[in-house]
Amino acid sequence: MDLTTLLQVLESTIRLSTPLLLACLAGLFSERAGIFDIGLEGKMLISAFFSAAVAYETGQVWIGMLAGIAASLGLSAIHGLASITFRGNQLISGVALNFLASGLTVLIAQDWYRQGGKTPTLEGGARFSEWSLPFADAVRDIPVFGPIYADLLSGHAPLVYIALLCVPLTWWVLFRTRFGLRLRAVGEAPEAVDTAGISVIRLRFVAVGICGVLCGIAGAYLATGLQPFFGKEMTAGRGYIALAALIFAKWRPWYALMACLLFGFLQAVALRFQNIDLGAFVVPVQVMDALPYILTVVILAGFVGKAIPPRAGGEPYAKER
């Protein structure tokens, strides 16, 4: 593999990792507060649809992204009411939201656009354009460093850089602020937080809200950055892979970045190398498409080790009287 091909694969890795990373960080906030969220997939999907639809109607991609975030927050509010206020089963609530988003997006898309459950193709200001980093063109001809900077690091949609910046921001918020300390305490020992006079319910709703915002950005990127339209089930299991990456990262932001880059790399390799001819036989394209999901299971089963979730995760909290 020459340098050009390697850079192309790595560039695809960054692009494909972005929605995974945002969804993984979303799940990190929620689960650190003790709320398991299987509904990452549904939040991304409904955000992708409303982002694409509103961006198409208004011609403004940022307005579309805000619409996607609002839609994702709507599902987060439902999940919060079900699992926090009414103390329902968090896993069932998340799965129900996934089914709701899956059916609702196709139904509305078909009713609005009559294109088989997809939106029209976005053009111009209705989709995210690529940003060039400073001096990218000037250093392009420098051996090795130039192509890495100009072709690999530069030329991505703004949400890619926002996702990367969210990693150190998440680490700082969770491990260097009073809010982060309280949020992690809610996921470990909510009764102790309650005894200190801090509202467990409020903190968990805030965490679920942050989760909704990040999933909204992830879905917006899928439909207005990674692809120029919304398509039926376009999340393609990314929400579940993000949950797998979260377990693989053991609920830590920097490990989450590495896990998402790994899964993004597997997807990039599967897209780049299809119908591989090994001489004796040809590897079918279906095998390459399934490779990221197969390796996800293998990695989780054999290489993660002991991953201990927050002790109060998945458990509804009732204030003692």
Side-chain angles (χ1 to χ4, degrees):
M1 183 185 298
D2 58 13
L3 179 61
T4 301
T5 302
L6 177 61
L7 289 179
Q8 290 173 349
V9 172
L10 293 179
E11 182 189 22
S12 296
T13 297
I14 294 175
R15 295 177 186 271
L16 293 169
S17 298
T18 297
L20 295 177
L21 178 59
L22 288 166
C24 187
L25 294 177
L28 177 62
F29 273 102
S30 182
E31 295 197 11
R32 278 287 190 174
I35 304 298
F36 289 165
D37 196 348
I38 304 295
L40 299 179
E41 180 90 358
K43 294 183 180 70
M44 293 171 65
L45 190 61
I46 202 166
S47 171
F49 168 70
F50 280 102
S51 295
V54 173
Y56 174 76
E57 298 295 340
T58 63
Q60 299 294 326
V61 66
W62 291 103
I63 296 178
M65 186 187 75
L66 292 177
I69 292 174
S72 178
L73 282 172
L75 291 191
S76 290
I78 296 174
H79 184 57
L81 285 172
S83 60
I84 301 174
T85 303
F86 298 112
R87 299 193 292 275
N89 187 291
Q90 298 173 9
L91 301 182
I92 293 177
S93 173
V95 171
L97 291 180
N98 288 339
F99 283 120
L100 175 64
S102 177
L104 194 62
T105 51
V106 175
L107 178 65
I108 299 177
Q110 179 63 17
D111 181 64
W112 286 3
Y113 301 110
R114 305 292 180 180
Q115 295 187 12
K118 68 182 291 289
T119 63
T121 301
L122 305 178
E123 299 178 350
R127 64 170 305 186
F128 283 107
S129 57
E130 297 177 347
W131 280 5
S132 294
L133 296 180
F135 311 111
D137 292 332
V139 303
R140 187 180 300 275
D141 295 330
I142 299 176
V144 183
F145 171 77
I148 291 176
Y149 182 78
D151 298 328
L152 176 60
L153 301 180
S154 181
H156 295 285
L159 295 187
V160 173
Y161 302 110
I162 291 175
L164 294 175
L165 288 175
C166 281
V167 176
L169 180 60
T170 298
W171 172 84
W172 180 77
V173 168
L174 286 178
F175 297 99
R176 289 296 183 270
T177 67
R178 181 179 298 178
F179 168 76
L181 175 62
R182 291 174 175 177
L183 192 71
R184 289 184 287 122
V186 165
E188 296 290 342
E191 64 282 351
V193 176
D194 194 14
T195 302
I198 301 169
S199 174
V200 173
I201 303 300
R202 182 180 64 83
L203 278 172
R204 286 189 166 180
F205 264 109
V206 170
V208 169
I210 294 174
C211 175
V213 171
L214 291 175
C215 282
I217 299 174
Y221 174 73
L222 278 175
T224 59
L226 192 62
Q227 295 182 6
F229 59 86
F230 168 84
K232 179 181 178 181
E233 303 291 351
M234 71 178 305
T235 47
R238 286 181 173 88
Y240 300 110
I241 294 181
L243 287 173
L246 183 58
I247 298 171
F248 183 54
K250 299 182 179 180
W251 295 271
R252 293 183 175 273
W254 291 108
Y255 292 170
L257 172 61
M258 291 185 287
C260 291
L261 286 174
L262 173 60
F263 295 139
F265 177 74
L266 295 176
Q267 288 183 315
V269 169
L271 290 174
R272 177 72 182 183
F273 303 101
Q274 297 188 353
N275 292 324
I276 299 177
D277 189 354
L278 299 178
F281 63 93
V282 176
V283 180
V285 63
Q286 292 83 0
V287 173
M288 297 305 297
D289 289 338
L291 182 64
Y293 303 96
I294 295 172
L295 292 182
T296 297
V297 174
V298 171
I299 289 171
L300 285 175
F303 298 95
V304 172
K306 190 175 183 180
I308 303 175
R311 284 184 295 177
E315 297 294 331
Y317 178 73
K319 185 179 178 65
E320 295 183 2
R321 300 184 183 277

